[in-house]
Amino acid sequence: MIGTKSPQDWMNDWQALQQQYWNAWSDATRGVVQPPKVTTPWQEGLEQWSKMFGTSSKQTETADRLISSAKNYVGLMQSLLGAAAGKVPTGFEVPNWTDALRNGFNMPGMDALFKNNPFTKIFADMRGPHAMGFDKLPDSFAPFLNQMKQEGLSWLHAPAFGFAREHQEHYQKMAAAFVDFQDALGRYNALMLKSSQRSFEIFESKLGEHDEPGRQIDSMRALYDLWVDAAEDAYAEIALSEEFRKVYGDVVNSQMRVRQAIQQEVERMSTDFGMPTRSELNSVHKRLHELRREVRNGCSPESSREIEELRAEVRELKRAMAEREKAPAPKPAPTVKHARPPRAASRAANPVERIAATSSQKKRPSRKAAAKRATAERSHTRSASVHGHAPLSFADAIKAMRRTVAKKTAKRKPAAAVASAASKSSPILKRKRRHRTRSR
Amino acid sequence: MDPIRIDPQRAIQEATKFNEKLAAGLKTLRTLDDVDFGVTDREEIYREDKLVLYRFKGANKPTSKTPLLIVYALVNRPYMVDLQDDRSLVKHLLALGEDVYIIDWGYPDQSDRYLTLDDYINGYIKRCVEKVASRHKVDKINLLGICQGGAFSLCFASICPEKVEHLITMVTPVDFHTKDNMLSHWTRGMDVDLFVDTLGNVPADLMNWCYLTLKPVRLFQQKYIGMVDILDNKTELENFLRMEKWIFDSPDQAGEAFRQFIKDFYQGNKLMEGGLMIGDKEVDLKNITMPVLNIFAEQDHLVPPSASRPLQNVIGTDDYTELAFKGGHIGIYVSGRAQREVPSAIHDWLRK
């Protein structure tokens, strides 16, 4: 602060300034807020005025937050200025400002939990329908917790027996969960207090960075912003610690156990009243989702397996075909010219059938010549089926490839042979073959 | 020298001025209409459950042959990318010739509790990608994943690399176990099974409360003190309220998807460590061989840069580009700098 006045002069000035503040506030609110005694906390004016404002606003939520923050801010300003008024003549001392700041967060009538503990107060102010400071859980569940307190805490560790033992055990569990939660909450609040204390230390340290000309703080707002920086730094230190992780986890987990116990109690009562419960609805939703997945995937788990088997079989067949394509082609066999009866000619388009047709119609050749010709015919069949030179039915192609695969894989890989054999008995393939036969 | 040099008379003036602004401004608040958002015209392309796939309509015909699909996070509403006329990533991308689609996840309710990450990634995202690709008669499209949607996009691009031409991730966490990741730090002490079994879907208010407590004084007090400064400016006030609307207009989180996201990403860090399964599909980021642009915000308190940067070390492509934006997790969409830098960076990278 500036000046060299006596303490009494400063106090008089401070009184006058506060009067000035209240007069201005009364003017700004057009008399809604009447100037009270000059020593009245500044946030009282906001309190009075917000009652008039808050009931008819469209933006009530935003306005509430705004007013809540403003109350903290003006309270802080008053505290800082008031402290300064009495201290300046003796020279500036950093601890005075820090004390003033600390007092600025201690509103009149405040819960003892929040004293010198702005963090806990801020968390307490952060609340909504499904989100609130951890300390507010007991308020929400008060009816259940009161019942539990009356019936539970006295026999928390007593053994349960008799007709109502299940109920007694449930209340004991609920009570134990609540005790755990309160314990965790206590440890959490202790860390918030630690964070608040640390914020004042960091504030002092940050103030020290502003003692050079040109870097001095010359407005209440700048002072407040400096404290916010300090507070966030302090909070981050604590919040990133291993201790906080453990305590935070304990608070969340113990709160969930309390909630779960209360939900069970609500379910029990709902059942008594013949009402549907969350568990029942969950079961329905779960089944519905499982069914939707099956429908979306187009099949049941069993048919999924069958499709996968079929896919494996097709992959194996493709692999075998690729191998055959890579294999060196044998020399072409000499063409045998002969007359075919009309029926055989019509079949000639199908190489598979042609093997049978030619062999049955011709005179029996010598064993050596027959073998040579059979090789040539097989080669031609492969070539035609692979390159699509001749029409080949799907079933025949599968049969031909399966024969080849079975032979090759039996020679090379015993495991593949087993897979091939298994694929022959694929129910889907069988079904397809049956279907094919019927359609013919 | 004293670090504080406050003139008492000026301090009182400051206090009374603050009160005057507050009094006048709160009256202004009462006269404001509800704020609107989402300025760009769009058409519905596909709908499934609560999901809707939209295509944005620009003033001119897109010049890009490959469409761009934005995959937003589940935890907030996607209109952040098209918040208002002078703060719209979408509008700028359209003006540059991109053909932009977006997935709107909707608001899950208790009937969606059993939606899993498999449903979201191998189901919803895959079908949206296929829908967009088939409309444009292309095999691959460009994917832009934002925050959690970026993590989902990484999973999808790893599982179906043949469907992604270019991958862009914005403020996307990859390494969840860096020391400055406060959110991750907290979740690691949580029994997420107990959490989801108790809550079912995770309430949006609870999620928001958790985000606010990352910076409690700044986000719950200082921000509203600062609001007093703009109470006499209707435009600024509307911008502020629009942002407030977006911040707190959050969907509940489908329980099972939340469970897996916390377990595998936050607690297990499986994007980095490996072993991540989405349904019956394994996520191996080495499968990401398409070009990747990774955009992150240097002052991001939700997804610190240290969580995004490691992406370059775990993907399978050498065609990797980084853009470090000077701003925060939200400023990267709505700040003036973002309007100037981000859309053009995306467009230039796609066309290079």
Side-chain angles (χ1 to χ4, degrees):
Chain A
M1 296 283 173
I2 306 165
T4 53
K5 293 178 181 176
S6 73
Q8 188 54 48
D9 289 343
W10 268 107
M11 289 309 292
N12 291 339
D13 282 358
W14 176 228
Q15 298 272 325
L17 287 168
Q18 292 202 86
Q19 188 63 54
Q20 188 181 326
Y21 170 88
W22 282 114
N23 290 341
W25 191 210
S26 183
D27 291 346
T29 59
R30 296 188 181 177
V32 171
V33 176
Q34 290 297 318
K37 285 200 304 186
V38 290
T39 52
T40 305
W42 287 3
Q43 63 268 24
E44 286 292 316
L46 277 168
E47 182 69 36
Q48 282 180 39
W49 181 67
S50 65
K51 279 178 188 163
M52 181 272 298
F53 174 80
T55 52
S56 58
S57 171
K58 284 183 185 174
Q59 306 285 353
T60 301
E61 176 68 18
T62 304
D64 283 350
R65 289 184 184 201
L66 186 60
I67 291 166
S68 170
S69 300
K71 280 198 273 190
N72 286 324
Y73 181 57
V74 297
L76 196 62
M77 281 201 283
Q78 186 184 25
S79 175
L80 287 166
L81 282 170
K87 304 289 181 186
V88 170
T90 60
F92 174 76
E93 295 170 39
V94 169
N96 292 341
W97 286 106
T98 307
D99 288 345
L101 185 76
R102 192 178 274 121
N103 289 332
F105 290 112
N106 296 334
M107 306 288 182
M110 182 188 270
D111 189 326
L113 180 69
F114 305 143
K115 191 166 169 57
N116 296 332
N117 193 352
F119 272 105
T120 303
K121 180 166 189 327
I122 285 168
F123 282 122
D125 288 342
M126 295 167 64
R127 66 187 63 151
H130 296 105
M132 55 193 76
F134 291 125
D135 58 310
K136 289 296 160 193
L137 180 70
D139 292 352
S140 309
F141 296 145
F144 300 100
L145 295 174
N146 285 338
Q147 186 182 0
M148 181 268 299
K149 276 179 187 168
Q150 288 164 9
E151 300 179 22
L153 289 178
S154 60
W155 37 262
L156 186 57
H157 300 295
F161 56 85
F163 177 68
R165 77 165 301 286
E166 292 302 310
H167 297 291
Q168 184 182 340
E169 201 168 75
H170 170 70
Y171 279 119
Q172 284 175 318
K173 276 185 186 168
M174 186 155 67
F178 185 68
V179 170
D180 284 350
F181 171 64
Q182 292 287 46
D183 175 59
L185 190 60
R187 283 182 282 131
Y188 179 84
N189 284 335
L191 282 179
M192 287 302 99
L193 179 61
K194 194 172 166 184
S195 180
S196 294
Q197 301 308 317
R198 179 72 183 127
S199 73
F200 297 125
E201 290 170 16
I202 295 178
F203 176 72
E204 282 181 21
S205 164
K206 282 185 182 291
L207 269 184
E209 296 167 8
H210 288 267
D211 57 2
E212 293 170 11
R215 297 200 65 200
Q216 289 168 298
I217 293 167
D218 60 1
S219 71
M220 299 305 294
R221 181 62 177 278
L223 195 60
Y224 170 76
D225 288 345
L226 188 73
W227 178 76
V228 172
D229 290 345
E232 290 295 1
D233 287 355
Y235 180 74
E237 272 182 23
I238 300 288
L240 284 168
S241 67
E242 289 299 316
E243 185 184 11
F244 187 89
R245 182 204 287 191
K246 172 79 172 61
V247 170
Y248 190 88
D250 288 347
V251 170
V252 173
N253 297 339
S254 59
Q255 186 188 109
M256 290 305 125
R257 278 191 282 274
V258 174
R259 280 177 183 261
Q260 211 168 56
I262 290 168
Q263 284 170 357
Q264 286 167 12
E265 189 61 13
V266 171
E267 290 231 343
R268 188 187 63 74
M269 289 195 294
S270 300
T271 306
D272 287 348
F273 285 110
M275 295 175 71
T277 66
R278 170 49 50 202
S279 301
E280 289 165 359
L281 279 173
N282 281 348
S283 296
V284 174
H285 291 148
K286 193 172 185 182
R287 284 175 200 159
L288 186 64
H289 267 275
E290 286 166 356
L291 276 172
R292 275 165 50 93
R293 278 195 199 106
E294 285 182 18
V295 170
R296 199 176 287 289
N297 294 337
C299 52
S300 64
E302 288 76 24
S303 49
S304 287
R305 271 198 299 278
E306 287 177 4
I307 287 175
E308 194 45 51
E309 285 172 8
L310 184 60
R311 283 181 179 152
E313 191 172 354
V314 170
R315 277 197 298 273
E316 183 60 27
L317 290 171
K318 281 183 178 172
R319 189 191 60 75
M321 287 172 70
E323 277 187 5
R324 286 168 59 176
E325 275 188 331
K326 284 180 195 167
K331 289 179 184 174
T335 309
V336 180
K337 290 183 180 176
H338 56 85
R340 270 190 212 134
R343 189 163 172 271
S346 69
R347 282 179 175 176
N350 186 332
V352 176
E353 290 192 17
R354 203 166 73 193
I355 297 170
T358 51
S359 61
S360 65
Q361 286 157 18
K362 278 187 64 67
K363 275 201 314 188
R364 194 181 193 94
S366 70
R367 185 173 291 175
K368 195 174 177 183
K372 198 173 181 182
R373 232 184 59 201
T375 306
E377 291 285 3
R378 277 200 299 275
S379 164
H380 185 66
T381 304
R382 273 202 302 269
S383 172
S385 62
V386 168
H387 298 293
H389 292 158
L392 181 66
S393 76
F394 177 76
D396 291 336
I398 290 284
K399 278 180 198 167
M401 284 190 284
R402 185 174 282 151
R403 275 199 299 274
T404 311
V405 170
K407 281 179 191 169
K408 289 201 170 194
T409 50
K411 282 180 188 170
R412 293 176 187 173
K413 295 177 184 171
V418 173
S420 177
S423 70
K424 277 184 185 173
S425 60
S426 160
I428 286 185
L429 267 188
K430 278 180 187 168
R431 201 177 303 143
K432 282 181 180 280
R433 281 198 291 273
R434 280 201 298 276
H435 175 70
R436 188 90 184 168
T437 308
R438 277 199 299 277
S439 64
R440 279 175 190 159
Chain B
M1 187 162 289
D2 292 349
I4 297 174
R5 192 173 177 79
I6 299 174
D7 179 80
Q9 186 62 43
R10 272 186 60 199
I12 287 292
Q13 283 171 0
E14 194 182 334
T16 52
K17 195 173 177 186
F18 177 85
N19 284 343
E20 283 167 13
K21 274 196 162 189
L22 187 64
L26 285 176
K27 284 178 187 166
T28 311
L29 268 179
R30 298 169 70 182
T31 65
L32 286 178
D33 292 328
D34 286 339
V35 289
D36 54 356
F37 48 83
V39 289
T40 307
D41 196 14
R42 62 186 186 175
E43 60 178 322
E44 181 179 323
I45 301 299
Y46 175 69
R47 180 179 285 268
E48 180 183 347
D49 300 335
K50 295 182 175 67
L51 170 154
V52 184
L53 172 65
Y54 291 104
R55 182 191 195 190
F56 288 104
K57 294 186 198 171
N60 302 312
K61 204 175 170 186
T63 54
S64 171
K65 290 191 172 67
T66 310
L68 175 68
L69 173 63
I70 298 176
V71 180
Y72 204 78
L74 302 176
V75 293
N76 276 108
R77 302 287 294 139
Y79 56 82
M80 168 52 85
V81 294
D82 187 37
L83 194 63
Q84 62 190 61
D85 197 48
D86 57 347
R87 299 180 183 194
S88 170
L89 172 68
V90 167
K91 190 182 159 194
H92 287 287
L93 286 172
L94 291 174
L96 291 165
E98 299 299 333
D99 201 345
V100 186
Y101 290 77
I102 196 166
I103 298 174
D104 183 341
W105 300 110
Y107 296 85
D109 59 28
Q110 284 291 350
S111 69
D112 300 303
R113 175 189 169 163
Y114 292 97
L115 282 175
T116 62
L117 291 187
D118 185 30
D119 294 317
Y120 276 106
I121 296 168
N122 296 324
Y124 291 145
I125 292 179
K126 187 178 180 195
R127 286 189 285 277
C128 286
V129 167
E130 288 170 350
K131 191 75 190 172
V132 174
S134 91
R135 274 175 61 89
H136 289 261
K137 298 184 173 53
V138 293
D139 295 328
K140 300 177 176 186
I141 67 166
N142 297 328
L143 210 55
L144 194 169
I146 294 175
C147 191
Q148 184 189 33
F152 287 3
S153 299
L154 287 171
C155 294
F156 178 76
S158 155
I159 293 168
C160 301
E162 74 284 358
K163 294 182 187 295
V164 183
E165 180 84 36
H166 293 88
L167 176 63
I168 303 158
T169 52
M170 283 183 82
V171 288
T172 295
V174 179
D175 186 347
F176 285 75
H177 283 186
T178 53
K179 285 182 180 174
D180 53 351
N181 192 334
M182 198 179 282
L183 208 52
S184 167
H185 185 70
W186 294 354
T187 59
R188 286 154 76 186
M190 273 175 58
D191 180 346
V192 70
D193 285 329
L194 174 67
F195 192 76
V196 173
D197 290 346
T198 305
L199 295 176
N201 286 348
V202 181
D205 285 346
L206 191 57
M207 299 290 294
N208 283 329
W209 188 84
C210 183
Y211 295 142
L212 289 179
T213 55
L214 291 171
K215 286 193 180 289
V217 189
R218 209 177 293 290
L219 297 179
F220 205 77
Q221 197 181 80
Q222 189 189 34
K223 186 172 83 169
Y224 298 101
I225 301 293
M227 184 186 172
V228 175
D229 294 337
I230 57 162
L231 277 176
D232 54 355
N233 184 327
K234 190 168 181 284
T235 306
E236 286 283 302
L237 193 53
E238 282 176 347
N239 290 347
F240 183 92
L241 293 175
R242 195 175 284 111
M243 185 61 72
E244 284 288 286
K245 160 82 179 163
W246 176 79
I247 289 170
F248 297 107
D249 176 16
S250 309
D252 292 347
Q253 298 300 293
E256 294 308 313
F258 181 87
R259 186 198 306 264
Q260 192 187 353
F261 195 67
I262 298 295
K263 270 189 173 178
D264 287 351
F265 291 73
Y266 275 96
Q267 293 179 339
N269 201 22
K270 289 185 178 175
L271 272 183
M272 290 296 290
E273 307 292 335
L276 175 61
M277 298 293 294
I278 303 294
D280 59 355
K281 308 280 192 304
E282 184 175 3
V283 173
D284 181 355
L285 296 186
K286 289 290 178 202
N287 293 341
I288 296 180
T289 51
M290 71 289 299
V292 173
L293 171 63
N294 187 16
I295 306 172
F296 51 85
E298 287 180 344
Q299 280 86 47
D300 194 333
H301 71 288
L302 284 165
V303 181
S306 62
S308 296
R309 277 202 169 101
L311 179 61
Q312 63 179 315
N313 302 322
V314 289
I315 49 178
T317 181
D318 292 330
D319 191 344
Y320 171 85
T321 310
E322 256 182 25
L323 174 65
F325 175 79
K326 284 179 183 154
H329 192 77
I330 297 171
I332 199 168
Y333 307 104
V334 297
S335 68
R337 181 197 293 272
Q339 308 312 306
R340 292 191 302 275
E341 294 180 4
V342 176
S344 56
I346 292 172
H347 172 74
D348 294 346
W349 179 79
L350 285 172
R351 299 292 175 94
K352 75 178 176 183

